Amino acid sequence: MNPDGKVIELMMAQPPSDLELMAYADGELDAAAAEGVRRYVESDAGAARKLEAYRKLRETAGRVLAVRLPEGLEHRIDAQATRAALQAPRWHIGWVGGAVAAVLLLGIASVVIWSTFAREPGAIHDSPLVPVAWVSSAATVHVNCSKHEDHHGAPFPRDLSELPESIHEFLGCDARCPDFSNVGYQFAGCASCTVKDDKTAHLLYRPTGAPEPCISLFVQNDVGQLAIETGKYYFARDAHEDVPMIIWRDNGAVYYLVGEDDRHLKAVAAAMGLKVRL
């Protein structure tokens, strides 16, 4: 066996890390390392799915990184990328490209991962599978729509018990329509909105007592717009609006539960039965 073949065989002994898959998606591995990743991905369906998700992220990153960054931010991203590369000794990685930079940008520029949640099984805090654009769009719609006193539009009824059937007709999927009155929020209405260009049902809840912030629950038909895993919760915060949210998929629908501070979002998440805690 030639020396290169021996290197590849050794590389195949261990699965590639997420960082290594990102570098492969960016074309930043040397020839031997890239061949090792290629062989592993061909034999492992889970790694293949991750690689496809990183490739989609890279496309999104191209649009995000085209925006002019604040002075000094690029240097911070480069510094973190360099540190990340040094933590991956098993593969030969040159410059860490678009996908890794995009992940760092999620944490530094536009989306701050909501790290105040306890790190429980099933809780994802730093996944690149929730792109900046979706988080920012959900935050903007929440802030804008919560200002409207009358949040209701055909074909949605005012009665929560009638809402699931109406949402099914609107989106083509079954959706949970929770009652948050036991934690101080009354259902204010449902309207047709758009989160990241996707048709969305927006359930708005207003506080019943003191002037607390509103709560939004966005529902979309799950057509693979987010490569998130079923049974896991993804926590993010839009840096511009300072709006925290929980994102998950279930039974053919994608949900965004959005608040304006951690305390109130925690209360409604518990009322909805999400197994998370602060």
Side-chain angles (χ1 to χ4, degrees):
M1 183 179 294
N2 61 46
D4 288 341
K6 291 180 181 179
V7 171
I8 293 172
E9 184 178 20
L10 288 173
M11 287 179 177
M12 287 292 293
Q14 298 184 47
S17 68
D18 288 350
L19 179 62
E20 293 152 359
L21 285 172
M22 292 178 199
Y24 179 75
D26 289 333
E28 297 299 334
L29 295 179
D30 61 32
E35 178 63 12
V37 173
R38 185 188 67 79
R39 290 189 181 188
Y40 189 89
V41 168
E42 286 183 349
S43 64
D44 187 281
R49 286 193 297 270
K50 279 189 175 182
L51 179 60
E52 179 61 23
Y54 292 138
R55 282 173 171 161
K56 290 181 179 178
L57 171 66
R58 191 175 189 276
E59 295 175 4
T60 302
R63 295 190 294 271
V64 173
L65 294 174
V67 178
R68 184 175 180 84
L69 301 178
E71 184 177 356
L73 180 57
E74 289 187 29
H75 297 295
R76 292 166 60 191
I77 293 175
D78 288 342
Q80 289 208 21
T82 301
R83 287 196 294 271
L86 292 174
Q87 293 172 1
R90 288 188 285 117
W91 297 79
H92 303 291
I93 302 178
W95 182 81
V96 181
V100 175
V103 174
L104 294 171
L105 188 62
L106 288 177
I108 298 172
S110 297
V111 176
V112 179
I113 299 302
W114 191 15
S115 60
T116 53
F117 269 89
R119 294 187 176 273
E120 300 175 344
I124 309 297
H125 298 261
D126 53 0
S127 174
L129 303 182
V130 183
V132 170
W134 270 260
V135 175
S136 298
S137 180
T140 299
V141 174
H142 166 76
V143 170
N144 291 340
C145 287
S146 64
K147 297 175 182 177
H148 297 291
E149 188 65 30
D150 185 16
H151 186 79
H152 175 262
F156 302 110
R158 288 286 190 178
D159 191 333
L160 266 176
S161 64
E162 300 174 1
L163 194 56
E165 182 178 353
S166 181
I167 290 180
H168 182 85
E169 293 176 358
F170 177 65
L171 294 177
C173 64
D174 295 324
R176 296 183 61 185
C177 301
D179 182 353
F180 295 141
S181 59
N182 62 333
V183 290
Y185 284 88
Q186 292 295 332
F187 175 62
C190 182
S192 171
C193 291
T194 300
V195 171
K196 192 54 185 73
D197 303 323
D198 284 342
K199 190 177 182 180
T200 307
H202 179 192
L203 285 68
L204 184 67
Y205 297 82
R206 296 191 183 280
T208 54
E212 305 289 2
C214 294
I215 295 292
S216 289
L217 179 64
F218 298 107
V219 185
Q220 295 177 337
N221 187 22
D222 186 358
V223 292
Q225 64 269 48
L226 297 179
I228 58 179
E229 296 183 47
T230 301
K232 294 187 178 181
Y233 304 106
Y234 295 75
F235 308 96
R237 184 192 300 271
D238 179 77
H240 177 68
E241 300 287 359
D242 194 28
V243 172
M245 63 187 71
I246 307 173
I247 304 169
W248 73 100
R249 72 193 315 176
D250 181 49
N251 195 30
V254 173
Y255 296 89
Y256 308 73
L257 183 63
V258 186
E260 292 181 34
D261 64 51
D262 297 354
R263 180 170 63 90
H264 292 96
L265 194 57
K266 172 192 174 182
V268 296
M272 200 170 180
L274 304 189
K275 299 183 182 301
V276 295
R277 61 185 176 88
L278 287 171

